[in-house]
Amino acid sequence: MAPAGRAASSGHRVRLREKYLGLGLEGLTDEEVVELLLTLATPLRDCKPMARELLKRFQGLRGVLSAEPGELTQVPGLGPKNILPLRLIRDTAGRFLRDKLVGRDFLKSTREVFDYLYYTLRDRRTEVFQVLYLDVRNGVMAAEEVFQGGIAGSYIDVQVVLRRALALGAARIVCAHNHPSGRPNPSEGDARVTRELVFAAKAVGLRLLDHLIIGENSYHSFSEAGDIRRLEEEYDSFNRRRGPM
């Protein structure tokens, strides 16, 4: 016969799962969401105290799901095995948004583009550079992470981006990276990389449609700011002055 405490915990888990199945995620508090995830890989143990401590330590559900494994396992009772559902749910959501985007028209799917980029970049502790590769009809062929950098910036090898675009048969690219500070203001380095991307892309018959910087609930678009068009005109003017090779 199971101990009373164990039986009570089992009954609570069943009720929690039934509540989710009946009401959906909106019917659960953040504590219940984290608790339910923990029960998936924490057998025969009350997960409510751990869920409560996680939310307190990481200041909410978003903080819990974006925390690194080494940070999560500092909470008593958590180890590499039972944090797996917390990591899996975040990574699955990112893949879902990416797969939802691939095949869609970039210019008609700006919400999906921003949702994917914002979700995958906003909580990263270091700068991450992603590229969307588009076909001649602006359909998204692939969305890939190509570089990671230090907290103060990342080194972008433009040739790697272009080689990948050519290998895919892409016609256009959209680049994006995050600012871990949360402020999307472009730096001199961001402007320099954008210029290099525009010039190098045009030199091989490609186009950079935009370079986005993702911040906290905000973003900066080099295209919306008029910089992409200005740089394309600068490239064209330079080539006209230089004349045929």
Side-chain angles (χ1 to χ4, degrees), residues 79-188:
K81 291 184 178 179
N82 61 351
I83 67 169
L84 187 146
L86 299 176
R87 305 294 297 168
L88 181 61
I89 195 70
R90 187 184 78 174
D91 293 342
T92 300
R95 180 175 292 185
F96 168 77
L97 290 172
R98 184 194 66 194
D99 290 351
K100 182 181 177 183
L101 177 64
V102 172
R104 299 290 298 277
D105 187 314
F106 168 75
L107 296 178
K108 295 180 181 178
S109 308
T110 53
R111 183 72 257 174
E112 286 91 343
V113 171
F114 183 76
D115 285 345
Y116 168 72
L117 293 173
Y118 185 64
Y119 183 84
T120 56
L121 292 175
R122 67 181 184 184
D123 294 319
R124 302 292 287 268
R125 307 293 178 82
T126 59
E127 286 195 7
V128 176
F129 197 84
Q130 292 197 352
V131 182
L132 306 182
Y133 299 96
L134 315 181
D135 60 25
V136 292
R137 297 182 178 178
N138 291 322
V140 180
M141 304 173 68
E144 299 178 353
E145 181 177 304
V146 292
F147 295 106
Q148 289 189 36
I151 204 76
S154 55
Y155 172 73
I156 308 302
D157 188 336
V158 172
Q159 297 305 315
V160 169
V161 175
L162 298 184
R163 281 198 297 269
R164 179 59 175 155
L166 293 171
L168 288 169
R172 300 173 177 90
I173 57 176
V174 175
C175 298
H177 77 281
N178 61 311
H179 276 184
S181 67
R183 297 184 296 275
N185 311 66
S187 67
E188 290 184 7

